[in-house]
Amino acid sequence: MPPKLYIKTFGCQMNEYDSGKMADVLRAGAGMEQTDNPEEADVILFNTCSIREKAEEKVFSDLGRVRPLKAANPDLLIGVGGCVASQEGALILQRAPYVDVVFGPQTLHRLPQLLQACRDTGRPQVDISFPEIEKFDHLPAPVLGHLRPSTMLRGALSKDEGPQAATGTASVSIMEGCSKYCTYCVVPYTRGEEVSRPFVDVMRDVQELVGQGVKEVMLLGQNVNAYCGATEDGDTVDFAFLLQAVAALEGIDRLRYTTSHPMEMTQNLIDVYASTPKLVSHLHLPVQSGSDRILAAMKRRHTVLEYKSIIRRIRAVRPDICVTSDFIVGFPGETEQDFEATMKLIDEVGFDNSFSYLYSTRPGTPAAEMRDDTPHEVKAARLKRLQDRIMEQEEGVAQAMLGTVQRVLVEGFSKKNAQELAGRTDNNRVVNFPGTPGMIGRFAEVKITQVVRHTLRGELVSEPA
Ligand code: SAH
Ligand code: SF4
Ligand code: F3S
């Protein structure tokens, strides 16, 4: 029997993607097979997130829960990867001495060796270095069946009624890390500076997936629009170029990306919305706050007016685009007036489904030193108001879709009702509808017949050959 691997993933799509790669390297390098049951695992990996304090604490409580499994199986190895590992390194072993391997997002390709070294020496192994883009040169080629995609992979929006497992669509990482150093954020420290994968490598991965039947790709990275990929003749290409090149590939019908930064939203990129219909009418463009004072304190490097100008120019060429965002409520020094400015921006732009959280102090970041005297109850009340308003806008978008016919990529069976299919619209909404399994992985025309809060139901109009 092949040894069994259990992976628990926290955090963003980058981590979801990396978990797929961990499974790939351990299959290729150690003959391991994935399991959904930690009790039968020979190796348990936690791919962790430290974006907010709560996410980090969850890792340690979940680790404590698998600890007893070691008593039952003395050969079991426990590994911690991802952003908490990157930030804490060997300190993890102090808090959880039963952990065997600590590895970072950039060293996951060394997992077979790290696990082996641990077995050979009986000592814990720690490798959280940043050997730049080396990882990609040591990963097996993308294999669709091995991706085990989840709804998390489908953009920032994971709280909807996605399919149980997505088919016909896959993600390709195009760059790693972040060099923006927003004052509240750990990502530049946990993932390192921005490094883009070479242009031909990205194209090869996409082509490989097309060969396996993929019709839609999601280009992934912490700031995809900062992409600057080397070409074989020593030149570099930008994100706008990459998007057009991928869209030009035969077999690719739909193109998504996440996540992007307003300061990298060039006119070139905006023009792609006019020239490239395969690029979906959904844009996740985090704004965080609607107050210039707070944006400056966050070091976002753009103003509210600049953000609105980007949206206005994109809507000029794509009137139907759905914009989603991330918001941080209660940043140090946020006044009632600052918060009202955020509410005003939300009303002016009109967002769909967005992510909003209370500010969480992250040790080692500049914002951790800022004076934060707003009481928690005040912050929580602001968050509630913001979320209620966004929810209204979300429902408005859904209501506007009622009665329309949408082209959906049928990704699998509905999570809620296994008798039904789940498809994703251009604007990243999941629609559940009755259909046959043969439609999975293909496009279909679906009429939206029902909106329950922001969840859509529909019926098949036609199924393209
Ligand atoms: N690179 C992306 C976002 C990546 S992190 C961008 O800049 O747009 C995802 C989201 O987590 C951020 O957009 C932000 O809203 C949130 N976040 C990051 N650090 C946070 C913190 N310390 N407290 C609360 N939310 C945070
Ligand atoms: Fe974090 Fe800012 Fe980088 Fe986004 S751009 S990952 S919020 S530092
Ligand atoms: Fe979390 Fe790291 Fe992603 S901190 S959000 S897993 S980049």
Side-chain angles (χ1 to χ4, degrees), residues 178-182 184-188 222-223 261 288 300:
C178 177
S179 309
K180 303 290 184 280
Y181 294 94
C182 301
Y184 50 81
C185 182
V186 293
V187 172
Q222 216 37 274
N223 277 308
H261 193 293
Q288 317 297 356
R300 289 293 287 181

Side-chain angles (χ1 to χ4, degrees), residues 51-52 184 222 259 286 288 300 326 328 358-360 362:
I51 202 84
R52 283 171 289 271
Y184 50 81
Q222 216 37 274
T259 182
Q288 317 297 356
R300 289 293 287 181
D326 297 342
I328 296 178
L358 285 186
Y359 165 74
S360 169
R362 304 317 288 133

